[in-house]
Amino acid sequence: MPHTSCSLFGTPPEDGVAPWPTYVPLAPWFIHGHETLWVDIDSTPEALKTFRERLRPMAHGIRPGSEGHGHLVVVSGLSGTGKSSLLHLCVHELVQMLDVAADRGAHKQNGDGSTAGHNPLWSRRAPARSTCIVGLDGSGNDGHGIGSPPGRTPETSQFEMVIERVVEVVATELGQGPGFSSAHPDPFLAWRALTDILEARDRRLVVIVPHIQWNDAELSRMFLRFCYDRCSRGVVFFVETTNTEVAKDLLPFTERERKSITHLRTTHLQAGDWAKYLEVWMEQDGVPAPTVAIDDDVLDFQPDAWALASISTLQDCLRRVVEEALQENAGHLRRQHVAHWFEAHRPSPDDFKRRGPTR
């Protein structure tokens, strides 16, 4: 007998925003409803607990100005282990904390600072009251080179690229116009001028840095230092990396500096995460049709260890088998459908040999 129906696919809403992580990572700070699609599996509940324990006590101190401090959050793990969704959920929760802290500072009480109840599912959220959020998607590089200290000619533009991108986006959001960057050609002075504007407007700044490939360990360490040095005056950097040894890169920071650094890790899925993943997603409200019923024996299925290395593998499996079921007008999914997909996509020994170290 079918267990229940599963909305694994949905027609994107009219504004073109797809709610499912098979299309884009969950970004609840940007899309209302994404926070309800979060599934507590693998290592993410512990990572989220660590984030909350670290950031909640100090959120009130993350404010612009010389007396305010910032923070560096590093999210590490292999590709496909949920880093991006974890990072974006943490951004969402941090922004809620900062809104509350800002409201209290202004002697206001607005609950958790959320207006979620007034927004339709999958709609874009209104901008945070206290915070500018800048994502640096598309900031690729050749993996070489490092930025120079203030006042010196840069050897390459790789690190300065990050500052220029943030300055450009935030200055535009603050109504500064295209002349702001040209008026501050030195990246360090431009950054200082930008944080001065944020202070004047009582705005915090969150910068999301997706994984950037660096070709050696020293560059990776220097990039973390580069980001940390700009985490002050109400600025928080979220840095995503596939470098599973990033904890070693954080060792050179002093004990005092590490108080302003939070490291979150994602790992392989656990044996029971397949059923947990399915059960939670099958119960979500508001996700558009079509739906496909799922037999109980699908929940009892245990994927091999190679499939549990990446949540994206489970997502890809479900997406494909649901597509096939819809095309074949099948009433529901059975265990053999899922087992056949995993068997057909089992990696060969050569696939593992080709995987080199990642940084």
Side-chain angles (χ1 to χ4, degrees), residues 130-148:
S130 67
T131 311
C132 295
I133 304 173
V134 177
L136 299 184
D137 292 332
S139 298
N141 68 92
D142 60 8
H144 297 85
I146 198 78
S148 298

mmCIF file with all atom_site columns, all heavy atoms in Angstrom, residues 130-148:
data_model
loop_
_atom_site.group_PDB
_atom_site.id
_atom_site.type_symbol
_atom_site.label_atom_id
_atom_site.label_alt_id
_atom_site.label_comp_id
_atom_site.label_asym_id
_atom_site.label_entity_id
_atom_site.label_seq_id
_atom_site.pdbx_PDB_ins_code
_atom_site.Cartn_x
_atom_site.Cartn_y
_atom_site.Cartn_z
_atom_site.occupancy
_atom_site.B_iso_or_equiv
_atom_site.pdbx_formal_charge
_atom_site.auth_seq_id
_atom_site.auth_comp_id
_atom_site.auth_asym_id
_atom_site.auth_atom_id
_atom_site.pdbx_PDB_model_num
ATOM 1   N N   . SER A 1 130 ? 17.886 45.523 9.466   1.00 0.00 ? 130 SER A N   1
ATOM 2   C CA  . SER A 1 130 ? 19.156 45.951 10.054  1.00 0.00 ? 130 SER A CA  1
ATOM 3   C C   . SER A 1 130 ? 20.371 45.635 9.207   1.00 0.00 ? 130 SER A C   1
ATOM 4   O O   . SER A 1 130 ? 21.456 46.110 9.504   1.00 0.00 ? 130 SER A O   1
ATOM 5   C CB  . SER A 1 130 ? 19.340 45.260 11.416  1.00 0.00 ? 130 SER A CB  1
ATOM 6   O OG  . SER A 1 130 ? 19.514 43.857 11.229  1.00 0.00 ? 130 SER A OG  1
ATOM 7   N N   . THR A 1 131 ? 20.198 44.837 8.133   1.00 0.00 ? 131 THR A N   1
ATOM 8   C CA  . THR A 1 131 ? 21.353 44.206 7.505   1.00 0.00 ? 131 THR A CA  1
ATOM 9   C C   . THR A 1 131 ? 21.301 44.239 5.992   1.00 0.00 ? 131 THR A C   1
ATOM 10  O O   . THR A 1 131 ? 20.255 43.980 5.397   1.00 0.00 ? 131 THR A O   1
ATOM 11  C CB  . THR A 1 131 ? 21.456 42.731 7.964   1.00 0.00 ? 131 THR A CB  1
ATOM 12  O OG1 . THR A 1 131 ? 21.338 42.665 9.384   1.00 0.00 ? 131 THR A OG1 1
ATOM 13  C CG2 . THR A 1 131 ? 22.765 42.109 7.527   1.00 0.00 ? 131 THR A CG2 1
ATOM 14  N N   . CYS A 1 132 ? 22.445 44.536 5.382   1.00 0.00 ? 132 CYS A N   1
ATOM 15  C CA  . CYS A 1 132 ? 22.643 44.342 3.949   1.00 0.00 ? 132 CYS A CA  1
ATOM 16  C C   . CYS A 1 132 ? 23.275 42.964 3.745   1.00 0.00 ? 132 CYS A C   1
ATOM 17  O O   . CYS A 1 132 ? 24.240 42.622 4.427   1.00 0.00 ? 132 CYS A O   1
ATOM 18  C CB  . CYS A 1 132 ? 23.569 45.406 3.365   1.00 0.00 ? 132 CYS A CB  1
ATOM 19  S SG  . CYS A 1 132 ? 22.925 47.079 3.414   1.00 0.00 ? 132 CYS A SG  1
ATOM 20  N N   . ILE A 1 133 ? 22.754 42.189 2.806   1.00 0.00 ? 133 ILE A N   1
ATOM 21  C CA  . ILE A 1 133 ? 23.279 40.858 2.521   1.00 0.00 ? 133 ILE A CA  1
ATOM 22  C C   . ILE A 1 133 ? 23.805 40.842 1.096   1.00 0.00 ? 133 ILE A C   1
ATOM 23  O O   . ILE A 1 133 ? 23.078 41.166 0.153   1.00 0.00 ? 133 ILE A O   1
ATOM 24  C CB  . ILE A 1 133 ? 22.199 39.775 2.694   1.00 0.00 ? 133 ILE A CB  1
ATOM 25  C CG1 . ILE A 1 133 ? 21.592 39.846 4.091   1.00 0.00 ? 133 ILE A CG1 1
ATOM 26  C CG2 . ILE A 1 133 ? 22.780 38.385 2.444   1.00 0.00 ? 133 ILE A CG2 1
ATOM 27  C CD1 . ILE A 1 133 ? 20.407 38.929 4.299   1.00 0.00 ? 133 ILE A CD1 1
ATOM 28  N N   . VAL A 1 134 ? 25.066 40.482 0.942   1.00 0.00 ? 134 VAL A N   1
ATOM 29  C CA  . VAL A 1 134 ? 25.711 40.486 -0.365  1.00 0.00 ? 134 VAL A CA  1
ATOM 30  C C   . VAL A 1 134 ? 26.245 39.093 -0.659  1.00 0.00 ? 134 VAL A C   1
ATOM 31  O O   . VAL A 1 134 ? 27.058 38.557 0.101   1.00 0.00 ? 134 VAL A O   1
ATOM 32  C CB  . VAL A 1 134 ? 26.873 41.496 -0.422  1.00 0.00 ? 134 VAL A CB  1
ATOM 33  C CG1 . VAL A 1 134 ? 27.566 41.434 -1.768  1.00 0.00 ? 134 VAL A CG1 1
ATOM 34  C CG2 . VAL A 1 134 ? 26.359 42.899 -0.152  1.00 0.00 ? 134 VAL A CG2 1
ATOM 35  N N   . GLY A 1 135 ? 25.770 38.485 -1.739  1.00 0.00 ? 135 GLY A N   1
ATOM 36  C CA  . GLY A 1 135 ? 26.302 37.198 -2.185  1.00 0.00 ? 135 GLY A CA  1
ATOM 37  C C   . GLY A 1 135 ? 27.290 37.400 -3.307  1.00 0.00 ? 135 GLY A C   1
ATOM 38  O O   . GLY A 1 135 ? 27.046 38.199 -4.222  1.00 0.00 ? 135 GLY A O   1
ATOM 39  N N   . LEU A 1 136 ? 28.407 36.689 -3.254  1.00 0.00 ? 136 LEU A N   1
ATOM 40  C CA  . LEU A 1 136 ? 29.468 36.873 -4.251  1.00 0.00 ? 136 LEU A CA  1
ATOM 41  C C   . LEU A 1 136 ? 29.490 35.742 -5.261  1.00 0.00 ? 136 LEU A C   1
ATOM 42  O O   . LEU A 1 136 ? 30.549 35.284 -5.670  1.00 0.00 ? 136 LEU A O   1
ATOM 43  C CB  . LEU A 1 136 ? 30.832 36.984 -3.561  1.00 0.00 ? 136 LEU A CB  1
ATOM 44  C CG  . LEU A 1 136 ? 30.975 38.159 -2.602  1.00 0.00 ? 136 LEU A CG  1
ATOM 45  C CD1 . LEU A 1 136 ? 32.392 38.219 -2.057  1.00 0.00 ? 136 LEU A CD1 1
ATOM 46  C CD2 . LEU A 1 136 ? 30.625 39.471 -3.280  1.00 0.00 ? 136 LEU A CD2 1
ATOM 47  N N   . ASP A 1 137 ? 28.324 35.245 -5.656  1.00 0.00 ? 137 ASP A N   1
ATOM 48  C CA  . ASP A 1 137 ? 28.271 34.209 -6.681  1.00 0.00 ? 137 ASP A CA  1
ATOM 49  C C   . ASP A 1 137 ? 28.921 34.709 -7.958  1.00 0.00 ? 137 ASP A C   1
ATOM 50  O O   . ASP A 1 137 ? 28.793 35.874 -8.330  1.00 0.00 ? 137 ASP A O   1
ATOM 51  C CB  . ASP A 1 137 ? 26.815 33.833 -6.976  1.00 0.00 ? 137 ASP A CB  1
ATOM 52  C CG  . ASP A 1 137 ? 26.169 33.124 -5.798  1.00 0.00 ? 137 ASP A CG  1
ATOM 53  O OD1 . ASP A 1 137 ? 26.911 32.487 -5.037  1.00 0.00 ? 137 ASP A OD1 1
ATOM 54  O OD2 . ASP A 1 137 ? 24.937 33.218 -5.659  1.00 0.00 ? 137 ASP A OD2 1
ATOM 55  N N   . GLY A 1 138 ? 29.614 33.805 -8.626  1.00 0.00 ? 138 GLY A N   1
ATOM 56  C CA  . GLY A 1 138 ? 30.261 34.176 -9.867  1.00 0.00 ? 138 GLY A CA  1
ATOM 57  C C   . GLY A 1 138 ? 31.634 34.779 -9.694  1.00 0.00 ? 138 GLY A C   1
ATOM 58  O O   . GLY A 1 138 ? 32.253 35.210 -10.664 1.00 0.00 ? 138 GLY A O   1
ATOM 59  N N   . SER A 1 139 ? 32.135 34.792 -8.456  1.00 0.00 ? 139 SER A N   1
ATOM 60  C CA  . SER A 1 139 ? 33.465 35.368 -8.227  1.00 0.00 ? 139 SER A CA  1
ATOM 61  C C   . SER A 1 139 ? 34.535 34.298 -8.431  1.00 0.00 ? 139 SER A C   1
ATOM 62  O O   . SER A 1 139 ? 35.205 33.863 -7.507  1.00 0.00 ? 139 SER A O   1
ATOM 63  C CB  . SER A 1 139 ? 33.556 35.939 -6.805  1.00 0.00 ? 139 SER A CB  1
ATOM 64  O OG  . SER A 1 139 ? 32.621 36.965 -6.628  1.00 0.00 ? 139 SER A OG  1
ATOM 65  N N   . GLY A 1 140 ? 34.673 33.850 -9.656  1.00 0.00 ? 140 GLY A N   1
ATOM 66  C CA  . GLY A 1 140 ? 35.678 32.840 -9.959  1.00 0.00 ? 140 GLY A CA  1
ATOM 67  C C   . GLY A 1 140 ? 37.064 33.445 -10.046 1.00 0.00 ? 140 GLY A C   1
ATOM 68  O O   . GLY A 1 140 ? 37.245 34.656 -10.086 1.00 0.00 ? 140 GLY A O   1
ATOM 69  N N   . ASN A 1 141 ? 38.063 32.598 -10.071 1.00 0.00 ? 141 ASN A N   1
ATOM 70  C CA  . ASN A 1 141 ? 39.441 33.075 -10.177 1.00 0.00 ? 141 ASN A CA  1
ATOM 71  C C   . ASN A 1 141 ? 40.313 31.947 -10.711 1.00 0.00 ? 141 ASN A C   1
ATOM 72  O O   . ASN A 1 141 ? 39.860 30.815 -10.869 1.00 0.00 ? 141 ASN A O   1
ATOM 73  C CB  . ASN A 1 141 ? 39.952 33.569 -8.825  1.00 0.00 ? 141 ASN A CB  1
ATOM 74  C CG  . ASN A 1 141 ? 40.109 32.437 -7.830  1.00 0.00 ? 141 ASN A CG  1
ATOM 75  O OD1 . ASN A 1 141 ? 41.175 31.841 -7.711  1.00 0.00 ? 141 ASN A OD1 1
ATOM 76  N ND2 . ASN A 1 141 ? 39.040 32.110 -7.120  1.00 0.00 ? 141 ASN A ND2 1
ATOM 77  N N   . ASP A 1 142 ? 41.569 32.246 -10.974 1.00 0.00 ? 142 ASP A N   1
ATOM 78  C CA  . ASP A 1 142 ? 42.461 31.232 -11.529 1.00 0.00 ? 142 ASP A CA  1
ATOM 79  C C   . ASP A 1 142 ? 43.174 30.426 -10.452 1.00 0.00 ? 142 ASP A C   1
ATOM 80  O O   . ASP A 1 142 ? 44.012 29.583 -10.748 1.00 0.00 ? 142 ASP A O   1
ATOM 81  C CB  . ASP A 1 142 ? 43.495 31.876 -12.456 1.00 0.00 ? 142 ASP A CB  1
ATOM 82  C CG  . ASP A 1 142 ? 44.372 32.903 -11.743 1.00 0.00 ? 142 ASP A CG  1
ATOM 83  O OD1 . ASP A 1 142 ? 44.273 32.998 -10.489 1.00 0.00 ? 142 ASP A OD1 1
ATOM 84  O OD2 . ASP A 1 142 ? 45.142 33.600 -12.410 1.00 0.00 ? 142 ASP A OD2 1
ATOM 85  N N   . GLY A 1 143 ? 42.863 30.696 -9.193  1.00 0.00 ? 143 GLY A N   1
ATOM 86  C CA  . GLY A 1 143 ? 43.463 29.922 -8.111  1.00 0.00 ? 143 GLY A CA  1
ATOM 87  C C   . GLY A 1 143 ? 44.840 30.381 -7.700  1.00 0.00 ? 143 GLY A C   1
ATOM 88  O O   . GLY A 1 143 ? 45.479 29.754 -6.862  1.00 0.00 ? 143 GLY A O   1
ATOM 89  N N   . HIS A 1 144 ? 45.331 31.452 -8.283  1.00 0.00 ? 144 HIS A N   1
ATOM 90  C CA  . HIS A 1 144 ? 46.673 31.939 -7.972  1.00 0.00 ? 144 HIS A CA  1
ATOM 91  C C   . HIS A 1 144 ? 46.608 33.344 -7.381  1.00 0.00 ? 144 HIS A C   1
ATOM 92  O O   . HIS A 1 144 ? 45.640 34.063 -7.552  1.00 0.00 ? 144 HIS A O   1
ATOM 93  C CB  . HIS A 1 144 ? 47.542 31.981 -9.234  1.00 0.00 ? 144 HIS A CB  1
ATOM 94  C CG  . HIS A 1 144 ? 47.777 30.652 -9.850  1.00 0.00 ? 144 HIS A CG  1
ATOM 95  N ND1 . HIS A 1 144 ? 46.883 30.075 -10.734 1.00 0.00 ? 144 HIS A ND1 1
ATOM 96  C CD2 . HIS A 1 144 ? 48.782 29.761 -9.690  1.00 0.00 ? 144 HIS A CD2 1
ATOM 97  C CE1 . HIS A 1 144 ? 47.347 28.901 -11.119 1.00 0.00 ? 144 HIS A CE1 1
ATOM 98  N NE2 . HIS A 1 144 ? 48.485 28.679 -10.503 1.00 0.00 ? 144 HIS A NE2 1
ATOM 99  N N   . GLY A 1 145 ? 47.680 33.725 -6.718  1.00 0.00 ? 145 GLY A N   1
ATOM 100 C CA  . GLY A 1 145 ? 47.868 35.114 -6.338  1.00 0.00 ? 145 GLY A CA  1
ATOM 101 C C   . GLY A 1 145 ? 47.180 35.520 -5.065  1.00 0.00 ? 145 GLY A C   1
ATOM 102 O O   . GLY A 1 145 ? 46.298 34.847 -4.561  1.00 0.00 ? 145 GLY A O   1
ATOM 103 N N   . ILE A 1 146 ? 47.608 36.647 -4.564  1.00 0.00 ? 146 ILE A N   1
ATOM 104 C CA  . ILE A 1 146 ? 47.123 37.153 -3.292  1.00 0.00 ? 146 ILE A CA  1
ATOM 105 C C   . ILE A 1 146 ? 47.056 38.673 -3.377  1.00 0.00 ? 146 ILE A C   1
ATOM 106 O O   . ILE A 1 146 ? 47.808 39.297 -4.119  1.00 0.00 ? 146 ILE A O   1
ATOM 107 C CB  . ILE A 1 146 ? 48.068 36.715 -2.142  1.00 0.00 ? 146 ILE A CB  1
ATOM 108 C CG1 . ILE A 1 146 ? 47.363 36.852 -0.798  1.00 0.00 ? 146 ILE A CG1 1
ATOM 109 C CG2 . ILE A 1 146 ? 49.370 37.457 -2.149  1.00 0.00 ? 146 ILE A CG2 1
ATOM 110 C CD1 . ILE A 1 146 ? 46.403 35.750 -0.518  1.00 0.00 ? 146 ILE A CD1 1
ATOM 111 N N   . GLY A 1 147 ? 46.164 39.277 -2.642  1.00 0.00 ? 147 GLY A N   1
ATOM 112 C CA  . GLY A 1 147 ? 46.101 40.730 -2.617  1.00 0.00 ? 147 GLY A CA  1
ATOM 113 C C   . GLY A 1 147 ? 47.209 41.303 -1.765  1.00 0.00 ? 147 GLY A C   1
ATOM 114 O O   . GLY A 1 147 ? 47.779 40.640 -0.908  1.00 0.00 ? 147 GLY A O   1
ATOM 115 N N   . SER A 1 148 ? 47.525 42.541 -1.981  1.00 0.00 ? 148 SER A N   1
ATOM 116 C CA  . SER A 1 148 ? 48.594 43.200 -1.246  1.00 0.00 ? 148 SER A CA  1
ATOM 117 C C   . SER A 1 148 ? 48.042 44.030 -0.099  1.00 0.00 ? 148 SER A C   1
ATOM 118 O O   . SER A 1 148 ? 46.869 44.379 -0.085  1.00 0.00 ? 148 SER A O   1
ATOM 119 C CB  . SER A 1 148 ? 49.392 44.108 -2.190  1.00 0.00 ? 148 SER A CB  1
ATOM 120 O OG  . SER A 1 148 ? 49.991 43.339 -3.216  1.00 0.00 ? 148 SER A OG  1
#
